[in-house]
Amino acid sequence: MPGVAARKNQERKRENAMEQPAADDYAKERYGVLPLIQSQDKPDRVLVRVKDLTGEKADEVVWVRGRVHTSRAKGKQCFLVLRQQQFNVQALVAVGDHASKQMVKFAAKESPQQKPISQDDQSPWNELILLPSPCFHGINKESIVDIEGVVRKVPHKIGGCTQQDVELHVQRIYVISLAEPRLPLQLDDAIRPEVDGEEEGRATVNQDTRLDNRVIDLRTCTSQAVFRLQSGICQLFRETLIQKGFVEIQTPKIISAASEGGANVFTVSYFKSNAYLAQSPQLYKQMCICADFDKVFCIGPVFRAEDSNTHRHLTEFVGLDIEMAFNYHYHEVVDEIADTMVQIFKGLQERFQTEIQTVSKQFPCEPFKFLEPTLRLEFPEALAMLREAGVEMGDEDDLSTPSEKLLGRLVKEKYDTDFYILDKYPLAVRPFYTMPDPKNPKTSNSYDMFMRGEEILSGAQRVHDPQLLTERAMHHGIDLEKIKAYIDSFRFGAPPHAGGGIGLERVTMLYLGLSNVRQTSMFPRDPKRLTP
Amino acid sequence: MPGVAARKNQERKRENAMEQPAADDYAKERYGVLPLIQSQDKPDRVLVRVKDLTGEKADEVVWVRGRVHTSRAKGKQCFLVLRQQQFNVQALVAVGDHASKQMVKFAAKESPQQKPISQDDQSPWNELILLPSPCFHGINKESIVDIEGVVRKVPHKIGGCTQQDVELHVQRIYVISLAEPRLPLQLDDAIRPEVDGEEEGRATVNQDTRLDNRVIDLRTCTSQAVFRLQSGICQLFRETLIQKGFVEIQTPKIISAASEGGANVFTVSYFKSNAYLAQSPQLYKQMCICADFDKVFCIGPVFRAEDSNTHRHLTEFVGLDIEMAFNYHYHEVVDEIADTMVQIFKGLQERFQTEIQTVSKQFPCEPFKFLEPTLRLEFPEALAMLREAGVEMGDEDDLSTPSEKLLGRLVKEKYDTDFYILDKYPLAVRPFYTMPDPKNPKTSNSYDMFMRGEEILSGAQRVHDPQLLTERAMHHGIDLEKIKAYIDSFRFGAPPHAGGGIGLERVTMLYLGLSNVRQTSMFPRDPKRLTP
């Protein structure tokens, strides 16, 4: 009879909460801890969103649900900051007609400054809340409450809140879900900009603490903004491509053989045999092109068993993948991909300005710049720029990460753009399926795209002729038996095609000028982290 | 020097192709096998889409790229059917001013009726095409060609083509990509409706042959329609949810522990330790709710290591997942999900009528019916209907698959809908995290949704109180240590919430009235199939 047990628990909670209120508390029905919401009723009550609490609602009585971000008692008053996602509003419980002294005390969190819970601590949950205890210590921060209040205009703007023109004068306050009293991290610390040296003693939160307690870290206005913007990137990517006539495909992640050779692949136990996790959807995108889908895209996880512990590598990330048949020249595809990126950048500027501003308060950064049409440099031009800047490189060398970054700065200086295409990479540094340049045997029809000097996309015209593909694979020393299915895909008529894969977390990181891809992966996976 | 090698190969191909044309062939520049497209040039040529070849273009000279679907020589003429995705048009090469006898012969496929390649066969590719051979046998079916032709109105509609009012009078024809001469399956066989008993001898293609040669099977108009419609389902799902204020999230697929117990989970080697593939994004969706994202959805792969070999089970499928905080009653969420499904059904009707018609030609089926608002039955009502129909069931038994199907028929008869919600399942048959009904301890706040009598969604209000969650897990005999992280997610204030997961392949299958989920998975994975 778990429903009953739960109700009993809830009643016990309530009794504890009600212990302080004396019989003579004239407000005793106006506050408390409510029973667990198990869908007992369908009350006819509208909950107003915090962001909609503006001067237009002045003097209206409203119900609002939010988290207690802070509470501060001051004589016969208690000031709460009520938070809902990126928005917050001040609420005032003051002794008067609606609120009693006991009600103000209930709203105030009276325990002293909370310490973060260390991992060895016993969870205080049971003692404090669920088992009978001598007193209720007030509403812990991060608890969820329902408040009935009157919207009142304030004479001076309220600095700490997004809703600066009004406050809520509380008439009723009920706890919907009580947080444990000690938080593993403080939200105010988690949104504090890191300032070198200065303002020591003002706490910030390190990355592992954030990631270990991601549910709380994701509640900060910065995290809310980052991931809402990321959702927007996916939406703009798809909107643009669907408008261009692309079809969305779903490609399998469990594969029977590692098509690109076999290094850096995770192995899966598959019933009585073994399988692998796909390092990219490329083979399947290409099969769809050979199957006449003409222009395809997919969004999905990509797995890399690389033991790389850098600011920009994850073992699982989200790939935004494109593949497209073209008529005569792979630049038809390059242009479509570049335009898709431009549409994303424009859409973010137009629809996510609030989120961009929010993030920049914690992580200040120059606005992202781009050109239209996108700047396309050829590899030799980049080489010349780097050499002029003192970098020593051979004609067929790949760019190192520092060279990429330097090149980004040089391009920014010269062309004033944070986004550009680098075309015509040396054939020697690209995978076997890359189409050689017909006019220069050392060059290939391949390209990378960069944001703020870091690679976000790698792509190429693919070899669509089985004979040439075989030759190229042999040249790379690849076991033909392992890629037979791949090569066979092109035997029954294949259109010329090109494509590329974009790393979603990198695009989010670089657009916002953040410094670590773990900030833009909700639940990042790297060689050392598999949780939460 | 692979570029050069490729060119040489192409030249050889061309020489072979050109062997027959004599020096006195006045049309010799007007046909042939072109060199491999390596992006040599950017010709200023517009390729017209086959679907745009209508009477409006009569007498225009156009360039078209398409596959040779069939070719049939008839005296001094050769009729080609040129296919582009779901569309096709007739093209005529006739001896005259533009075409010579040799050119007609080039267009015609003169070899006898092709047998499918058996797996033991040597690939004929090398001998026939790439190495010098005594003669070129014409353009194999499925080859890709560029045709220049005049659009001509025809006096009688052309039955076998989608473009019935016009044909192309060919002036030039060049092979862009030559298919191998023997196809592993014939496209015409692959779209033939299966008729019991009758019309024996008319070949159809069995499922394994289709799946083994998926690149070709996906080219049929039926496959093209199925997967374009599936792309539409994803698009409508997201459009609707984004319009409702949902945020798209990306959840990890590699997880450190199996949250739902551990059965049916694939194991992954993760560096020096083990990890698992997520059976659902549920924990992460719920964490996002606890992190104040309020309404979230995701589309991604879901992995089930079940040794189920049925028409509706896959080991990897695409989950359309929703999770949403609600105010007071989980029906707020049920209504949103049901409305999302209705918007999908309506959108498919409006935007994908051609695709629906195309599929029904091969797989005839009643149009999908639904009510607005969606019918919601409670479990006891369903039980009563089934008992009346003679099924013996206890009050707390789950529905068997045959009972689900029977119920689907009974509901269709009584309410005339192919889509309905079954609400309030017995608590005993649902997972530990399902919220018990506060008014009836044997019942739960959980629901399934059905299309044509088969389950497509399973969902529930989730327990958002750590104490009750602990009790329920213990009741189910679950090791608390393994789900500690899950339970801890709810300790710092959690809103009441509910959600559900939809199987994309099942929705596509049941909407179109197909009989096997492998028809709606591009590259299906089951216990016996990991390729292609």
Side-chain angles (χ1 to χ4, degrees):
Chain A
M1 311 261 278
V4 174
R7 274 208 303 287
K8 285 204 179 138
N9 259 325
Q10 290 300 326
E11 279 154 26
R12 255 185 285 146
K13 279 192 204 178
R14 191 167 197 186
E15 279 159 25
N16 300 339
M18 294 299 161
E19 207 157 344
Q20 290 214 330
D24 64 347
D25 179 0
Y26 58 88
K28 67 185 171 190
E29 295 300 325
R30 297 185 164 274
Y31 65 98
V33 178
L34 290 190
L36 184 68
I37 293 180
Q38 281 186 273
S39 307
Q40 292 88 337
D41 307 297
K42 295 185 179 184
D44 192 17
R45 179 185 293 166
V46 176
L47 296 179
V48 174
R49 308 292 299 173
V50 167
K51 71 173 173 194
D52 296 330
L53 295 174
T54 60
E56 283 179 29
K57 286 217 163 16
D59 305 323
E60 285 183 31
V61 177
V62 296
W63 278 95
V64 179
R65 177 171 294 176
R67 287 191 192 271
V68 173
H69 184 69
T70 59
S71 71
R72 182 167 50 90
K74 202 178 172 184
K76 290 181 174 182
Q77 297 184 321
C78 174
F79 289 93
L80 302 172
V81 173
L82 200 66
R83 194 185 77 239
Q84 194 174 62
Q85 300 164 350
Q86 315 98 301
F87 306 98
N88 51 23
V89 68
Q90 180 164 284
L92 171 64
V93 195
V95 174
D97 286 353
H98 293 289
S100 59
K101 227 162 46 178
Q102 294 93 329
M103 180 165 154
V104 172
K105 207 165 173 185
F106 174 86
K109 175 63 193 157
E110 305 223 307
S111 57
Q113 178 64 35
Q114 295 155 21
K115 289 183 304 184
I117 300 166
S118 88
Q119 286 202 313
D120 302 327
D121 266 5
Q122 281 289 333
S123 159
W125 179 261
N126 289 325
E127 285 145 79
L128 277 182
I129 309 304
L130 288 172
L131 302 178
S133 73
C135 62
F136 177 82
H137 280 292
I139 308 174
N140 300 316
K141 282 202 250 183
E142 294 300 304
S143 297
I144 298 174
V145 294
D146 276 6
I147 284 180
E148 185 200 54
V150 186
V151 182
R152 295 287 188 208
K153 281 197 179 168
V154 289
H156 304 290
K157 283 192 188 291
I158 299 170
C161 291
T162 58
Q163 309 314 107
Q164 308 203 319
D165 301 328
V166 295
E167 65 183 6
L168 267 183
H169 288 202
V170 177
Q171 299 183 339
R172 296 169 198 267
I173 179 165
Y174 302 106
V175 173
I176 293 301
S177 175
L178 193 61
E180 290 198 1
R182 285 195 286 170
L183 296 170
L185 59 90
Q186 299 299 319
L187 272 82
D188 284 340
D189 297 343
I191 59 164
R192 190 162 290 136
E194 287 183 32
V195 187
D196 290 337
E198 294 168 48
E199 295 191 80
E200 274 177 45
R202 301 203 71 189
T204 55
V205 183
N206 77 37
Q207 187 163 272
D208 275 328
T209 305
R210 288 178 188 276
L211 296 179
D212 289 341
N213 302 282
R214 195 59 157 159
V215 165
I216 298 176
D217 184 49
L218 287 175
R219 291 178 191 169
T220 65
C221 53
T222 306
S223 295
Q224 291 281 320
V226 166
F227 291 101
R228 282 165 198 276
L229 182 130
Q230 186 167 74
S231 169
I233 292 173
C234 294
Q235 187 189 343
L236 288 159
F237 177 78
R238 288 183 308 241
E239 263 181 34
T240 306
L241 292 172
I242 285 171
Q243 200 260 324
K244 287 175 186 289
F246 280 71
V247 174
E248 180 175 8
I249 58 169
Q250 307 291 338
T251 68
K253 304 308 165 197
I254 304 181
I255 56 174
S256 62
S259 63
E260 291 191 35
N264 303 331
V265 182
F266 289 113
T267 305
V268 182
S269 301
Y270 197 79
F271 300 99
K272 284 166 187 156
S273 117
N274 276 336
Y276 306 92
L277 290 182
Q279 287 174 293
S280 99
Q282 190 179 321
L283 166 56
Y284 295 96
K285 287 191 302 179
Q286 291 192 260
M287 286 173 76
C288 289
I289 297 301
C290 295
D292 292 347
F293 283 94
D294 203 32
K295 298 171 168 188
V296 298
F297 73 91
C298 55
I299 297 187
V302 168
F303 306 94
R304 302 277 164 92
E306 277 177 71
D307 198 1
S308 298
N309 295 279
T310 78
H311 78 284
R312 61 177 192 164
H313 284 90
L314 295 170
T315 51
E316 178 181 344
F317 64 90
V318 177
L320 309 180
D321 268 273
I322 291 178
E323 201 75 24
M324 177 181 150
F326 62 80
N327 294 339
Y328 297 105
H329 200 291
Y330 74 97
H331 283 174
E332 298 165 32
V333 180
V334 174
D335 290 346
E336 286 286 60
I337 300 177
D339 182 61
T340 302
M341 294 307 299
V342 165
Q343 298 311 320
I344 292 173
F345 301 148
K346 285 176 148 180
L348 292 178
Q349 271 180 351
E350 283 161 21
R351 304 187 205 168
F352 292 87
Q353 205 47 246
T354 311
E355 283 76 8
I356 294 167
Q357 297 304 327
T358 300
V359 176
S360 76
K361 275 180 200 151
Q362 181 170 5
F363 300 103
C365 158
E366 291 289 306
F368 188 82
K369 288 197 168 179
F370 57 95
L371 302 174
E372 221 185 327
T374 301
L375 174 68
R376 185 172 59 78
L377 294 177
E378 299 211 346
F379 201 83
E381 297 172 70
L383 217 54
M385 286 169 78
L386 285 170
R387 283 173 179 160
E388 199 177 322
V391 177
E392 289 181 19
M393 270 182 74
D395 286 350
E396 290 185 76
D397 288 350
D398 204 353
L399 295 177
S400 66
T401 307
S403 296
E404 284 183 358
K405 288 209 172 182
L406 171 59
L407 184 60
R409 285 195 297 274
L410 298 172
V411 169
K412 180 74 182 275
E413 276 168 30
K414 187 165 173 187
Y415 299 99
D416 198 30
T417 179
D418 290 307
F419 176 62
Y420 72 98
I421 305 161
L422 190 54
D423 194 16
K424 306 226 79 83
Y425 271 68
L427 183 62
V429 304
R430 307 297 276 200
F432 74 96
Y433 47 72
T434 308
M435 182 63 88
D437 183 331
K439 291 165 190 163
N440 179 349
K442 293 196 168 179
T443 301
S444 67
N445 293 350
S446 69
Y447 41 86
D448 278 7
M449 297 191 187
F450 293 87
M451 288 172 63
R452 299 196 202 260
E454 295 195 42
E455 181 245 308
I456 56 129
L457 170 139
S458 196
Q461 176 179 356
R462 328 293 187 180
V463 176
H464 63 284
D465 176 85
Q467 176 69 15
L468 179 56
L469 196 55
T470 305
E471 278 175 26
R472 296 297 303 147
M474 284 167 66
H475 180 83
H476 278 252
I478 290 169
D479 180 355
L480 290 179
E481 204 44 51
K482 286 197 175 153
I483 57 165
K484 183 175 180 304
Y486 181 63
I487 295 179
D488 285 347
S489 305
F490 304 100
R491 294 203 185 279
F492 303 101
H497 61 286
I502 299 163
L504 173 63
E505 294 85 353
R506 285 193 189 178
V507 172
T508 315
M509 170 178 80
L510 295 164
Y511 184 82
L512 291 170
L514 300 176
S515 58
N516 195 307
V517 79
R518 288 161 190 79
Q519 294 171 286
T520 56
S521 171
M522 268 196 177
F523 304 101
R525 297 290 181 256
D526 65 32
K528 291 173 183 154
R529 177 173 290 279
L530 259 179
T531 55
Chain B
M1 309 261 279
V4 174
R7 274 208 304 288
K8 284 202 179 140
N9 259 324
Q10 290 301 327
E11 278 154 27
R12 256 184 285 146
K13 280 192 205 178
R14 192 165 196 189
E15 279 159 25
N16 300 338
M18 294 299 162
E19 207 155 348
Q20 290 213 331
D24 63 345
D25 179 1
Y26 58 88
K28 67 184 172 192
E29 295 298 325
R30 299 185 161 272
Y31 64 98
V33 177
L34 289 189
L36 184 66
I37 292 180
Q38 281 185 272
S39 308
Q40 292 88 337
D41 307 297
K42 294 185 177 182
D44 191 18
R45 179 186 292 166
V46 176
L47 296 179
V48 174
R49 309 291 299 173
V50 166
K51 69 173 176 197
D52 296 330
L53 295 173
T54 60
E56 284 178 29
K57 287 216 162 17
D59 305 324
E60 286 182 30
V61 176
V62 296
W63 279 96
V64 179
R65 177 170 295 174
R67 287 191 190 271
V68 173
H69 184 70
T70 60
S71 71
R72 184 166 49 90
K74 203 176 169 185
K76 290 181 172 178
Q77 297 184 321
C78 173
F79 289 93
L80 301 172
V81 173
L82 199 66
R83 195 183 76 238
Q84 194 175 63
Q85 300 163 350
Q86 315 96 301
F87 306 97
N88 50 26
V89 68
Q90 181 164 282
L92 172 63
V93 195
V95 174
D97 286 352
H98 293 288
S100 59
K101 228 165 41 181
Q102 294 93 328
M103 180 166 155
V104 172
K105 209 166 171 185
F106 173 85
K109 176 63 194 158
E110 306 224 306
S111 58
Q113 177 63 33
Q114 295 155 19
K115 286 184 305 181
I117 300 166
S118 89
Q119 287 202 314
D120 303 327
D121 265 5
Q122 280 290 331
S123 159
W125 178 259
N126 290 326
E127 286 145 82
L128 277 180
I129 309 304
L130 289 171
L131 302 178
S133 73
C135 62
F136 177 81
H137 279 292
I139 307 173
N140 301 315
K141 282 203 249 184
E142 294 301 304
S143 297
I144 298 174
V145 295
D146 275 6
I147 283 180
E148 185 200 54
V150 186
V151 182
R152 294 288 187 207
K153 280 195 179 170
V154 289
H156 304 291
K157 282 190 188 294
I158 299 170
C161 291
T162 58
Q163 310 313 106
Q164 307 203 319
D165 301 327
V166 296
E167 64 183 6
L168 268 183
H169 288 202
V170 177
Q171 299 183 339
R172 297 170 197 266
I173 178 166
Y174 302 105
V175 173
I176 293 301
S177 175
L178 192 62
E180 291 198 1
R182 284 193 289 170
L183 296 171
L185 59 90
Q186 299 299 317
L187 271 82
D188 284 339
D189 296 344
I191 58 163
R192 190 162 290 135
E194 288 184 31
V195 188
D196 292 336
E198 294 168 49
E199 296 190 82
E200 276 178 44
R202 302 203 70 190
T204 55
V205 182
N206 77 37
Q207 188 164 271
D208 276 327
T209 304
R210 287 178 189 277
L211 295 180
D212 288 341
N213 302 283
R214 196 58 158 161
V215 165
I216 299 175
D217 184 48
L218 287 175
R219 291 178 190 170
T220 66
C221 52
T222 306
S223 294
Q224 290 281 321
V226 166
F227 291 102
R228 282 164 199 275
L229 182 128
Q230 186 167 76
S231 170
I233 292 173
C234 294
Q235 188 189 344
L236 288 159
F237 177 78
R238 287 183 308 242
E239 262 182 33
T240 307
L241 291 172
I242 285 171
Q243 200 260 323
K244 288 175 185 289
F246 280 72
V247 175
E248 180 175 9
I249 58 169
Q250 307 291 340
T251 68
K253 303 309 165 198
I254 303 181
I255 56 174
S256 62
S259 63
E260 292 189 35
N264 303 332
V265 181
F266 288 114
T267 305
V268 182
S269 300
Y270 197 79
F271 300 99
K272 283 169 187 156
S273 118
N274 275 336
Y276 307 92
L277 290 181
Q279 287 173 292
S280 99
Q282 190 179 321
L283 166 57
Y284 294 96
K285 288 191 301 177
Q286 291 192 260
M287 286 173 77
C288 288
I289 296 301
C290 294
D292 293 347
F293 282 94
D294 203 33
K295 298 171 166 188
V296 298
F297 74 90
C298 55
I299 297 187
V302 168
F303 305 94
R304 302 277 163 92
E306 279 177 69
D307 198 1
S308 299
N309 295 279
T310 77
H311 78 285
R312 61 177 191 162
H313 284 90
L314 295 170
T315 51
E316 178 181 343
F317 63 90
V318 177
L320 309 179
D321 268 275
I322 291 177
E323 202 75 24
M324 176 181 150
F326 62 80
N327 294 339
Y328 298 105
H329 200 290
Y330 74 97
H331 283 172
E332 298 164 33
V333 180
V334 174
D335 291 346
E336 286 285 61
I337 300 176
D339 182 61
T340 302
M341 294 307 299
V342 165
Q343 298 310 321
I344 292 173
F345 301 148
K346 284 174 147 180
L348 292 178
Q349 272 181 350
E350 284 161 22
R351 304 186 205 169
F352 292 88
Q353 205 47 245
T354 312
E355 283 76 9
I356 294 167
Q357 298 302 328
T358 300
V359 176
S360 75
K361 276 179 200 151
Q362 181 170 4
F363 301 102
C365 157
E366 293 287 307
F368 188 82
K369 287 197 168 178
F370 57 95
L371 302 175
E372 220 185 329
T374 301
L375 175 68
R376 185 172 58 79
L377 294 177
E378 299 212 345
F379 200 83
E381 298 171 68
L383 216 56
M385 286 170 77
L386 285 169
R387 282 173 180 161
E388 200 177 321
V391 176
E392 289 182 17
M393 269 181 74
D395 286 350
E396 291 184 78
D397 288 351
D398 203 355
L399 296 176
S400 65
T401 305
S403 296
E404 284 183 358
K405 288 210 170 181
L406 172 57
L407 184 61
R409 287 196 296 276
L410 298 172
V411 168
K412 180 75 181 274
E413 275 169 29
K414 189 166 171 183
Y415 299 98
D416 198 29
T417 179
D418 289 308
F419 177 62
Y420 71 99
I421 305 159
L422 190 53
D423 194 16
K424 306 228 77 82
Y425 271 68
L427 183 62
V429 304
R430 306 297 275 201
F432 75 95
Y433 47 73
T434 309
M435 183 63 87
D437 183 332
K439 292 167 188 162
N440 178 347
K442 293 194 168 178
T443 301
S444 67
N445 294 349
S446 69
Y447 42 86
D448 278 7
M449 296 190 187
F450 293 88
M451 287 172 64
R452 300 195 202 259
E454 296 195 42
E455 182 246 306
I456 56 129
L457 171 138
S458 196
Q461 178 180 355
R462 327 293 187 181
V463 176
H464 62 284
D465 177 86
Q467 176 68 16
L468 179 57
L469 197 56
T470 305
E471 278 175 27
R472 296 297 303 148
M474 284 167 68
H475 180 83
H476 277 253
I478 289 169
D479 181 354
L480 291 180
E481 205 42 51
K482 286 195 175 157
I483 56 166
K484 183 174 179 307
Y486 182 63
I487 295 180
D488 286 347
S489 304
F490 303 100
R491 294 202 186 280
F492 303 100
H497 61 286
I502 299 163
L504 174 63
E505 294 85 353
R506 284 193 188 178
V507 172
T508 315
M509 168 179 81
L510 295 164
Y511 185 82
L512 292 170
L514 300 176
S515 59
N516 196 307
V517 80
R518 288 161 190 79
Q519 292 171 287
T520 56
S521 171
M522 268 195 176
F523 304 100
R525 297 291 181 256
D526 64 32
K528 290 171 184 156
R529 177 174 289 279
L530 258 179
T531 55

